[in-house]
Amino acid sequence: MKMITAIVQNDDANKLISSLREKGFSCTKLSSTGGFLSSGNTTILSGVDDDRVEEEIEIIRKICKTKKKVTAAIPPSSFSTVGGYLPQTIEVTVGGAVVFVNSVDRFEKI
Ligand code: 2BA
């Protein structure tokens, strides 16, 4: 078994969860915050049999699209050091999804 951890944009999360459930994948949705932009995103945890990992990743790939976000050239988390200075903005490409696949040593429902 593997644990898929997918960090996705909030806009994509509900559609992704519905699609995963339709195909029989179990998942848990967590509210999370990106370290760079300090804005909300969604982390989805999904335990999946080894032979279905690629199928789940394909669903994530299909639904989670890249997006452009405009942020301060100095990320929001360091605003307090800037004082009255208005920082320049930069455009960053976020997502579609950041996906980690880890092996699960043991899985039990008790
Ligand atoms: P954030 O950390 O808020 O990053 C949002 C986007 O900002 C990133 O999109 C990337 O395009 C850009 N970015 C991040 N760090 C940067 C930097 N030092 N300089 C310039 N641009 C930077 P994604 O790469 O698609 O990441 C989306 C979200 O996924 C991240 O939100 C973070 O929550 C998570 N993430 C990405 N890589 C990760 C990792 N290695 N470990 C854990 N979480 C990760």
Side-chain angles (χ1 to χ4, degrees):
M1 180 178 234
K2 298 282 192 282
M3 173 63 73
I4 295 179
T5 305
I7 302 164
V8 306
Q9 297 306 294
N10 290 343
D11 296 347
D12 295 326
N14 287 342
K15 189 171 176 200
L16 176 59
I17 288 166
S18 305
S19 301
L20 292 175
R21 281 182 40 209
E22 255 172 44
K23 297 287 181 185
F25 293 103
S26 295
C27 59
T28 298
K29 176 184 171 187
L30 306 174
S31 295
S32 45
T33 304
F36 183 68
L37 294 181
S38 294
S39 66
N41 52 27
T42 299
T43 299
I44 291 172
L45 302 178
S46 180
V48 58
D49 289 335
D50 288 24
D51 60 354
R52 297 197 74 197
V53 168
E54 291 310 317
E55 186 188 347
E56 178 156 347
I57 288 176
E58 266 318 300
I59 294 171
I60 297 170
R61 198 189 307 279
K62 204 170 80 185
I63 290 175
C64 298
K65 305 293 180 197
T66 56
K67 294 180 184 64
K68 305 273 187 204
K69 294 213 169 170
V70 175
T71 185
I74 300 165
S77 48
S78 34
F79 272 5
S80 58
T81 61
V82 179
Y85 171 68
L86 189 61
Q88 283 188 318
T89 56
I90 52 166
E91 192 177 67
V92 293
T93 303
V94 185
V98 173
V99 177
F100 301 89
V101 180
N102 297 104
S103 295
V104 175
D105 289 340
R106 181 167 164 171
F107 170 68
E108 290 188 34
K109 282 188 184 177
I110 297 169

Short mmCIF file of all heavy atoms in Angstrom, two decimals, residues 7-9 32-41 43 66-67 69 71 75 90-98 100, ligand 1:
data_model
loop_
_atom_site.label_atom_id
_atom_site.label_comp_id
_atom_site.label_asym_id
_atom_site.label_seq_id
_atom_site.Cartn_x
_atom_site.Cartn_y
_atom_site.Cartn_z
N ILE A 7 -0.89 18.09 -2.55
CA ILE A 7 -1.17 19.48 -2.16
C ILE A 7 -1.75 20.15 -3.40
O ILE A 7 -1.09 20.21 -4.45
CB ILE A 7 0.10 20.19 -1.68
CG1 ILE A 7 0.69 19.42 -0.49
CG2 ILE A 7 -0.22 21.64 -1.27
CD1 ILE A 7 2.12 19.78 -0.17
N VAL A 8 -3.00 20.59 -3.28
CA VAL A 8 -3.71 21.13 -4.45
C VAL A 8 -4.27 22.51 -4.12
O VAL A 8 -4.35 22.91 -2.95
CB VAL A 8 -4.83 20.17 -4.90
CG1 VAL A 8 -4.30 18.76 -5.13
CG2 VAL A 8 -5.99 20.13 -3.91
N GLN A 9 -4.70 23.19 -5.16
CA GLN A 9 -5.33 24.50 -4.96
C GLN A 9 -6.75 24.31 -4.44
O GLN A 9 -7.45 23.37 -4.84
CB GLN A 9 -5.34 25.29 -6.27
CG GLN A 9 -3.95 25.60 -6.79
CD GLN A 9 -3.11 26.30 -5.74
OE1 GLN A 9 -3.40 27.42 -5.37
NE2 GLN A 9 -2.09 25.63 -5.22
N SER A 32 -4.63 23.51 4.52
CA SER A 32 -3.20 23.76 4.72
C SER A 32 -2.83 25.14 4.20
O SER A 32 -3.65 25.82 3.56
CB SER A 32 -2.37 22.65 4.03
OG SER A 32 -2.86 22.38 2.74
N THR A 33 -1.62 25.54 4.47
CA THR A 33 -1.15 26.87 4.06
C THR A 33 0.22 26.73 3.44
O THR A 33 1.12 26.10 4.03
CB THR A 33 -1.05 27.80 5.30
OG1 THR A 33 -2.32 27.83 5.94
CG2 THR A 33 -0.65 29.20 4.90
N GLY A 34 0.39 27.29 2.26
CA GLY A 34 1.69 27.23 1.59
C GLY A 34 2.72 28.07 2.31
O GLY A 34 2.42 29.18 2.76
N GLY A 35 3.92 27.55 2.43
CA GLY A 35 4.98 28.25 3.15
C GLY A 35 5.48 29.49 2.43
O GLY A 35 5.95 30.43 3.06
N PHE A 36 5.37 29.53 1.12
CA PHE A 36 5.92 30.65 0.36
C PHE A 36 4.89 31.77 0.22
O PHE A 36 5.15 32.92 0.58
CB PHE A 36 6.38 30.18 -1.02
CG PHE A 36 7.02 31.25 -1.85
CD1 PHE A 36 8.25 31.79 -1.48
CD2 PHE A 36 6.41 31.75 -2.99
CE1 PHE A 36 8.85 32.78 -2.24
CE2 PHE A 36 7.00 32.74 -3.75
CZ PHE A 36 8.23 33.26 -3.37
N LEU A 37 3.70 31.43 -0.28
CA LEU A 37 2.68 32.47 -0.49
C LEU A 37 1.88 32.77 0.78
O LEU A 37 1.16 33.76 0.82
CB LEU A 37 1.70 32.03 -1.60
CG LEU A 37 2.27 31.88 -3.01
CD1 LEU A 37 1.17 31.47 -3.98
CD2 LEU A 37 2.90 33.18 -3.46
N SER A 38 1.97 31.89 1.78
CA SER A 38 1.16 32.03 3.00
C SER A 38 -0.33 32.11 2.67
O SER A 38 -1.08 32.79 3.37
CB SER A 38 1.56 33.26 3.82
OG SER A 38 2.85 33.10 4.31
N SER A 39 -0.74 31.44 1.59
CA SER A 39 -2.17 31.43 1.30
C SER A 39 -2.67 29.99 1.40
O SER A 39 -1.89 29.04 1.35
CB SER A 39 -2.45 32.04 -0.08
OG SER A 39 -1.90 31.24 -1.08
N GLY A 40 -3.98 29.86 1.56
CA GLY A 40 -4.56 28.54 1.82
C GLY A 40 -4.44 27.62 0.62
O GLY A 40 -4.59 28.04 -0.53
N ASN A 41 -4.16 26.37 0.90
CA ASN A 41 -4.30 25.33 -0.12
C ASN A 41 -4.89 24.11 0.57
O ASN A 41 -5.26 24.17 1.74
CB ASN A 41 -2.98 25.06 -0.87
CG ASN A 41 -1.80 24.78 0.02
OD1 ASN A 41 -1.97 24.30 1.14
ND2 ASN A 41 -0.59 25.08 -0.45
N THR A 43 -4.57 19.90 1.35
CA THR A 43 -3.76 18.69 1.31
C THR A 43 -4.68 17.48 1.38
O THR A 43 -5.53 17.40 2.27
CB THR A 43 -2.75 18.66 2.47
OG1 THR A 43 -1.89 19.80 2.35
CG2 THR A 43 -1.91 17.40 2.46
N THR A 66 -2.53 24.09 -13.56
CA THR A 66 -1.64 25.14 -13.06
C THR A 66 -2.36 26.49 -13.12
O THR A 66 -3.23 26.71 -13.97
CB THR A 66 -0.34 25.23 -13.88
OG1 THR A 66 -0.68 25.43 -15.24
CG2 THR A 66 0.50 23.98 -13.74
N LYS A 67 -2.00 27.36 -12.18
CA LYS A 67 -2.59 28.69 -12.15
C LYS A 67 -1.48 29.71 -11.91
O LYS A 67 -0.49 29.40 -11.26
CB LYS A 67 -3.61 28.79 -11.01
CG LYS A 67 -4.81 27.92 -11.22
CD LYS A 67 -5.79 28.04 -10.07
CE LYS A 67 -6.95 27.08 -10.26
NZ LYS A 67 -6.55 25.65 -10.22
N LYS A 69 -0.40 33.05 -10.01
CA LYS A 69 -0.77 33.89 -8.87
C LYS A 69 0.22 35.04 -8.77
O LYS A 69 1.43 34.83 -8.95
CB LYS A 69 -0.77 33.08 -7.57
CG LYS A 69 -1.84 32.02 -7.56
CD LYS A 69 -2.40 31.77 -6.19
CE LYS A 69 -3.64 30.90 -6.31
NZ LYS A 69 -4.12 30.40 -5.05
N THR A 71 2.08 37.68 -6.47
CA THR A 71 2.42 37.89 -5.07
C THR A 71 3.49 38.97 -4.98
O THR A 71 4.10 39.35 -5.98
CB THR A 71 2.92 36.58 -4.42
OG1 THR A 71 3.14 36.80 -3.02
CG2 THR A 71 4.24 36.12 -5.03
N PRO A 75 7.85 37.58 -0.13
CA PRO A 75 6.65 36.86 0.21
C PRO A 75 5.95 37.43 1.44
O PRO A 75 6.59 38.07 2.29
CB PRO A 75 7.14 35.43 0.45
CG PRO A 75 8.60 35.50 0.56
CD PRO A 75 9.05 36.76 -0.10
N ILE A 90 5.45 39.83 -8.25
CA ILE A 90 5.94 38.85 -9.22
C ILE A 90 4.82 37.85 -9.46
O ILE A 90 3.93 37.69 -8.63
CB ILE A 90 7.20 38.09 -8.74
CG1 ILE A 90 6.96 37.48 -7.35
CG2 ILE A 90 8.41 38.97 -8.75
CD1 ILE A 90 8.00 36.45 -6.96
N GLU A 91 4.90 37.18 -10.62
CA GLU A 91 3.90 36.16 -10.93
C GLU A 91 4.54 34.79 -10.73
O GLU A 91 5.63 34.55 -11.23
CB GLU A 91 3.45 36.34 -12.38
CG GLU A 91 2.22 35.54 -12.73
CD GLU A 91 1.79 35.82 -14.15
OE1 GLU A 91 2.52 35.45 -15.08
OE2 GLU A 91 0.72 36.41 -14.33
N VAL A 92 3.86 33.91 -9.97
CA VAL A 92 4.37 32.55 -9.81
C VAL A 92 3.33 31.57 -10.36
O VAL A 92 2.14 31.84 -10.33
CB VAL A 92 4.68 32.19 -8.33
CG1 VAL A 92 5.84 32.99 -7.80
CG2 VAL A 92 3.46 32.36 -7.45
N THR A 93 3.81 30.46 -10.86
CA THR A 93 2.91 29.41 -11.34
C THR A 93 2.73 28.40 -10.22
O THR A 93 3.70 27.85 -9.71
CB THR A 93 3.52 28.71 -12.58
OG1 THR A 93 3.76 29.71 -13.57
CG2 THR A 93 2.57 27.66 -13.13
N VAL A 94 1.48 28.18 -9.83
CA VAL A 94 1.19 27.29 -8.69
C VAL A 94 0.51 26.02 -9.22
O VAL A 94 -0.37 26.09 -10.08
CB VAL A 94 0.26 27.97 -7.68
CG1 VAL A 94 0.08 27.09 -6.46
CG2 VAL A 94 0.81 29.32 -7.28
N GLY A 95 0.89 24.89 -8.63
CA GLY A 95 0.22 23.63 -8.96
C GLY A 95 0.51 23.20 -10.38
O GLY A 95 1.56 23.55 -10.88
N GLY A 96 -0.35 22.47 -11.02
CA GLY A 96 -1.54 21.72 -10.67
C GLY A 96 -1.52 21.10 -9.32
O GLY A 96 -2.37 21.41 -8.49
N ALA A 97 -0.61 20.17 -8.99
CA ALA A 97 -0.59 19.55 -7.68
C ALA A 97 0.85 19.16 -7.36
O ALA A 97 1.63 18.87 -8.25
CB ALA A 97 -1.48 18.30 -7.68
N VAL A 98 1.15 19.22 -6.07
CA VAL A 98 2.44 18.71 -5.60
C VAL A 98 2.14 17.37 -4.94
O VAL A 98 1.34 17.31 -3.99
CB VAL A 98 3.10 19.69 -4.62
CG1 VAL A 98 4.35 19.09 -4.00
CG2 VAL A 98 3.45 20.99 -5.35
N PHE A 100 3.32 13.60 -3.31
CA PHE A 100 4.32 12.71 -2.70
C PHE A 100 3.70 11.32 -2.61
O PHE A 100 2.52 11.19 -2.26
CB PHE A 100 4.68 13.16 -1.28
CG PHE A 100 5.24 14.56 -1.20
CD1 PHE A 100 4.41 15.65 -1.03
CD2 PHE A 100 6.61 14.78 -1.30
CE1 PHE A 100 4.91 16.94 -0.95
CE2 PHE A 100 7.13 16.07 -1.23
CZ PHE A 100 6.29 17.14 -1.05
P1 2BA B 1 3.63 27.74 -1.48
O1 2BA B 1 4.78 27.38 -0.63
O2 2BA B 1 2.76 28.88 -1.04
O3 2BA B 1 4.18 28.04 -2.95
C1 2BA B 1 3.32 28.52 -3.97
C2 2BA B 1 4.07 28.66 -5.27
O4 2BA B 1 5.07 29.68 -5.13
C3 2BA B 1 4.82 27.38 -5.69
O5 2BA B 1 3.93 26.54 -6.39
C4 2BA B 1 5.94 27.94 -6.54
O6 2BA B 1 5.48 28.21 -7.87
C5 2BA B 1 6.22 29.30 -5.92
N1 2BA B 1 7.36 29.25 -5.01
C6 2BA B 1 7.52 28.51 -3.88
N2 2BA B 1 8.70 28.77 -3.29
C7 2BA B 1 9.30 29.71 -4.05
C8 2BA B 1 10.56 30.39 -3.99
N3 2BA B 1 11.43 30.16 -2.98
N4 2BA B 1 10.86 31.28 -4.97
C9 2BA B 1 10.00 31.53 -5.98
N5 2BA B 1 8.80 30.92 -6.10
C10 2BA B 1 8.46 30.02 -5.16
P2 2BA B 1 4.07 24.95 -6.25
O7 2BA B 1 5.50 24.53 -6.42
O8 2BA B 1 3.05 24.36 -7.20
O9 2BA B 1 3.67 24.59 -4.76
C11 2BA B 1 2.33 24.70 -4.32
C12 2BA B 1 2.26 24.41 -2.83
O10 2BA B 1 2.67 23.05 -2.61
C13 2BA B 1 3.24 25.22 -1.98
O11 2BA B 1 2.65 26.47 -1.67
C14 2BA B 1 3.42 24.33 -0.76
O12 2BA B 1 2.27 24.43 0.09
C15 2BA B 1 3.39 22.96 -1.38
N6 2BA B 1 4.74 22.44 -1.68
C16 2BA B 1 5.45 22.62 -2.81
N7 2BA B 1 6.62 21.97 -2.75
C17 2BA B 1 6.66 21.36 -1.55
C18 2BA B 1 7.61 20.53 -0.89
N8 2BA B 1 8.80 20.17 -1.45
N9 2BA B 1 7.32 20.06 0.35
C19 2BA B 1 6.13 20.40 0.94
N10 2BA B 1 5.19 21.17 0.37
C20 2BA B 1 5.45 21.65 -0.86
#
